[in-house]
Coordinates of all heavy atoms in Angstrom, one line a residue:
D272 N -0.7 0.5 -8.6 CA 0.3 0.9 -7.5 C 0.5 2.4 -7.6 O 0.7 3.1 -6.6 CB 1.7 0.2 -7.9 CG 2.7 0.5 -6.7 OD1 2.3 0.4 -5.5 OD2 3.9 0.7 -7.0
L273 N 0.4 3.0 -8.8 CA 0.4 4.5 -9.0 C -0.8 5.1 -8.3 O -0.6 6.1 -7.6 CB 0.4 4.8 -10.4 CG 0.4 6.4 -10.7 CD1 1.6 7.1 -10.1 CD2 0.3 6.6 -12.2
F274 N -1.9 4.4 -8.3 CA -3.1 4.9 -7.6 C -2.9 5.0 -6.0 O -3.2 5.9 -5.5 CB -4.3 4.1 -7.9 CG -5.5 4.4 -7.1 CD1 -6.4 5.4 -7.6 CD2 -5.9 3.7 -6.0 CE1 -7.5 5.7 -6.9 CE2 -7.0 4.0 -5.2 CZ -7.9 5.0 -5.7
A275 N -2.2 3.9 -5.6 CA -2.0 3.9 -4.1 C -1.0 5.0 -3.7 O -1.1 5.6 -2.6 CB -1.4 2.5 -3.7
Y276 N 0.0 5.2 -4.6 CA 1.0 6.2 -4.4 C 0.2 7.6 -4.3 O 0.5 8.4 -3.4 CB 2.0 6.2 -5.5 CG 2.9 7.4 -5.3 CD1 4.1 7.4 -4.6 CD2 2.7 8.6 -6.0 CE1 5.0 8.5 -4.4 CE2 3.5 9.7 -5.9 CZ 4.7 9.6 -5.1 OH 5.5 10.7 -5.1
N277 N -0.6 7.8 -5.3 CA -1.3 9.1 -5.3 C -2.2 9.4 -4.1 O -2.4 10.4 -3.6 CB -2.1 9.2 -6.6 CG -1.3 9.5 -7.9 OD1 -0.2 9.8 -7.7 ND2 -1.9 9.3 -9.0
M278 N -3.0 8.2 -3.8 CA -4.1 8.4 -2.8 C -3.7 8.3 -1.4 O -4.5 9.0 -0.5 CB -5.1 7.4 -3.1 CG -5.8 7.7 -4.5 SD -6.5 9.3 -4.6 CE -7.6 9.5 -3.3
F279 N -2.8 7.6 -1.0 CA -2.4 7.5 0.4 C -1.2 8.4 0.8 O -0.5 8.9 -0.1 CB -2.2 6.0 0.8 CG -3.4 5.2 0.6 CD1 -3.4 4.2 -0.4 CD2 -4.6 5.4 1.3 CE1 -4.5 3.4 -0.6 CE2 -5.7 4.6 1.1 CZ -5.7 3.6 0.1
L280 N -1.0 8.6 2.0 CA 0.2 9.4 2.4 C 1.5 8.6 2.3 O 1.5 7.3 2.5 CB 0.0 9.7 4.0 CG -1.1 10.6 4.4 CD1 -1.6 10.5 5.8 CD2 -0.8 12.0 4.0
R281 N 2.4 9.3 1.8 CA 3.7 8.7 1.4 C 4.8 8.8 2.5 O 5.3 9.9 2.8 CB 4.1 9.4 0.0 CG 3.1 9.1 -1.0 CD 3.2 10.2 -2.2 NE 2.6 11.5 -1.8 CZ 1.3 11.7 -1.8 NH1 0.4 10.9 -2.3 NH2 0.9 13.0 -1.5
P282 N 5.2 7.6 3.0 CA 6.3 7.7 4.0 C 7.6 8.1 3.5 O 8.0 7.8 2.3 CB 6.3 6.2 4.5 CG 5.8 5.4 3.4 CD 4.8 6.2 2.7
S283 N 8.4 8.7 4.3 CA 9.8 9.1 3.9 C 10.7 7.8 3.9 O 10.2 6.8 4.5 CB 10.3 10.1 4.9 OG 10.5 9.6 6.1
T284 N 11.9 7.9 3.4 CA 12.8 6.8 3.4 C 13.0 6.4 4.9 O 13.2 5.2 5.2 CB 14.0 7.2 2.8 OG1 13.7 7.5 1.4 CG2 15.1 5.9 2.7
E285 N 13.2 7.5 5.7 CA 13.5 7.2 7.1 C 12.2 6.4 7.8 O 12.5 5.5 8.7 CB 13.8 8.5 7.9 CG 15.0 9.1 7.5 CD 14.9 9.8 6.1 OE1 13.8 10.2 5.6 OE2 16.0 10.1 5.5
E286 N 11.1 6.9 7.5 CA 9.9 6.2 8.1 C 9.8 4.7 7.7 O 9.3 3.9 8.4 CB 8.7 7.0 7.7 CG 8.4 8.3 8.4 CD 7.2 9.0 7.9 OE1 7.0 9.2 6.7 OE2 6.3 9.3 8.7
L287 N 10.2 4.5 6.4 CA 10.1 3.1 5.9 C 11.0 2.2 6.7 O 10.7 0.9 6.8 CB 10.6 3.1 4.5 CG 9.5 3.5 3.4 CD1 10.2 3.4 2.1 CD2 8.3 2.5 3.4
E288 N 12.0 2.6 7.3 CA 12.9 1.7 8.2 C 12.2 1.0 9.2 O 12.5 -0.2 9.4 CB 14.0 2.6 8.8 CG 15.1 3.2 7.9 CD 16.1 2.2 7.4 OE1 16.0 1.1 7.7 OE2 16.9 2.6 6.5
D289 N 11.2 1.7 9.8 CA 10.5 1.0 10.9 C 9.0 0.8 10.6 O 8.3 0.7 11.5 CB 10.7 1.8 12.2 CG 12.1 1.9 12.7 OD1 12.7 0.8 12.7 OD2 12.6 3.0 13.0
L290 N 8.6 1.0 9.4 CA 7.2 0.9 9.1 C 6.8 -0.6 8.8 O 7.3 -1.2 8.0 CB 6.9 1.7 7.8 CG 5.5 2.0 7.5 CD1 5.3 3.3 6.8 CD2 4.9 0.9 6.6
H291 N 5.8 -1.0 9.6 CA 5.3 -2.3 9.6 C 3.8 -2.3 9.4 O 3.2 -1.4 10.1 CB 5.7 -3.2 10.8 CG 7.2 -3.3 11.0 ND1 7.9 -4.2 10.2 CD2 8.0 -2.7 11.8 CE1 9.2 -4.1 10.7 NE2 9.3 -3.1 11.5
A292 N 3.3 -3.0 8.5 CA 1.9 -2.8 8.1 C 1.0 -3.2 9.2 O 1.1 -4.3 9.8 CB 1.6 -3.6 6.8
D293 N 0.0 -2.3 9.4 CA -1.2 -2.7 10.3 C -2.3 -3.5 9.5 O -2.9 -4.4 10.1 CB -1.7 -1.4 10.9 CG -0.7 -0.6 11.7 OD1 -0.1 -1.2 12.6 OD2 -0.7 0.7 11.4
W294 N -2.4 -3.0 8.2 CA -3.4 -3.6 7.3 C -2.7 -3.9 6.0 O -1.8 -3.3 5.5 CB -4.6 -2.6 7.1 CG -5.6 -2.8 8.2 CD1 -5.5 -2.1 9.4 CD2 -6.8 -3.4 8.3 NE1 -6.6 -2.4 10.2 CE2 -7.4 -3.2 9.5 CE3 -7.4 -4.3 7.3 CZ2 -8.6 -3.8 9.9 CZ3 -8.7 -4.8 7.6 CH2 -9.3 -4.6 8.9
T295 N -3.2 -5.0 5.4 CA -2.8 -5.4 4.1 C -3.9 -5.4 3.1 O -5.0 -6.0 3.4 CB -2.1 -6.7 4.1 OG1 -0.9 -6.7 4.9 CG2 -1.7 -7.2 2.7
V296 N -3.8 -4.7 1.9 CA -4.8 -4.8 0.8 C -4.2 -5.6 -0.3 O -3.1 -5.3 -0.8 CB -5.2 -3.4 0.3 CG1 -6.2 -3.4 -0.7 CG2 -5.7 -2.5 1.6
I297 N -4.8 -6.6 -0.8 CA -4.4 -7.4 -1.9 C -5.4 -7.3 -3.0 O -6.6 -7.6 -2.8 CB -4.2 -8.9 -1.5 CG1 -3.2 -9.0 -0.4 CG2 -3.7 -9.7 -2.8 CD1 -3.0 -10.5 0.1
Q298 N -5.0 -6.6 -4.2 CA -5.9 -6.5 -5.3 C -5.4 -7.3 -6.4 O -4.2 -7.1 -7.0 CB -5.9 -4.9 -5.7 CG -6.9 -4.7 -6.8 CD -6.4 -3.8 -7.9 OE1 -5.2 -3.8 -8.2 NE2 -7.2 -3.0 -8.4
A299 N -6.2 -8.2 -6.9 CA -5.9 -9.1 -8.0 C -7.0 -9.1 -9.0 O -7.9 -9.9 -9.0 CB -5.6 -10.4 -7.6
P300 N -7.1 -8.1 -9.9 CA -8.2 -8.0 -10.9 C -8.4 -9.4 -11.8 O -9.5 -9.7 -12.1 CB -7.9 -6.8 -11.8 CG -7.0 -6.0 -11.0 CD -6.2 -7.0 -10.1
G301 N -7.2 -10.0 -12.0 CA -7.3 -11.2 -12.8 C -7.8 -12.4 -12.1 O -8.1 -13.5 -12.7
F302 N -7.9 -12.3 -10.8 CA -8.4 -13.5 -10.1 C -9.9 -13.5 -9.8 O -10.5 -12.4 -9.5 CB -7.7 -13.6 -8.6 CG -8.3 -14.6 -7.8 CD1 -8.0 -15.9 -7.9 CD2 -9.3 -14.3 -6.8 CE1 -8.6 -16.9 -7.1 CE2 -9.9 -15.2 -6.0 CZ -9.5 -16.6 -6.1
L303 N -10.5 -14.5 -10.3 CA -12.0 -14.6 -10.4 C -12.5 -15.7 -9.3 O -12.0 -16.8 -9.3 CB -12.6 -15.0 -11.7 CG -12.1 -14.1 -12.9 CD1 -12.7 -14.5 -14.1 CD2 -12.6 -12.6 -12.6
A304 N -13.4 -15.2 -8.4 CA -13.9 -16.2 -7.4 C -14.9 -17.2 -8.1 O -15.5 -16.9 -9.2 CB -14.6 -15.4 -6.4
D305 N -15.1 -18.2 -7.5 CA -16.1 -19.3 -7.8 C -17.3 -19.1 -6.7 O -17.1 -19.6 -5.7 CB -15.6 -20.7 -7.8 CG -16.6 -21.7 -8.3 OD1 -17.7 -21.4 -8.3 OD2 -16.1 -22.9 -8.5

């Protein structure tokens, strides 16, 4: 999560009020595919 904070643009508190995700990234290192 710190990496995401560092690397992407950080919305202000005001922007968060109306910010709705266009894309979702789900990262789960502990989940292994079969």
